[in-house]
Amino acid sequence: SDVCSSDLFPAPIGHDLALVASFLIVAVLAGVGLNVDLQKMIRLGPRPMLVGFLLASIMAVLSYALVGAMHIG
């Protein structure tokens, strides 16, 4: 991770910080998932999910194009 490669912290502390960050991301995603009201999602129908999938796909294509254009990856 960036914390480990930045030399701001010694390697063992950087590793621990990356591990804590990963745990916190999982905890936040679980919290969001547990707040989902499935009945409400069913009532809304497939359109919001399709719009979200479309936007995520556009972001993925643009990100991939930028990585290629900037010769990052």
Side-chain angles (χ1 to χ4, degrees), residues 63-73:
S63 297
Y64 187 73
L66 282 172
V67 166
M70 298 177 74
H71 306 290
I72 296 173

Side-chain angles (χ1 to χ4, degrees), residues 13-51:
I13 293 175
H15 175 71
D16 291 342
L17 288 173
L19 187 63
V20 168
S22 296
F23 172 77
L24 291 175
I25 289 171
V26 170
V28 167
L29 290 175
V32 169
L34 290 172
N35 273 332
V36 171
D37 185 357
L38 292 177
Q39 293 298 325
K40 190 172 185 180
M41 284 182 65
I42 291 170
R43 274 187 266 129
L44 288 173
R47 188 170 179 186
M49 291 295 283
L50 291 173
V51 170

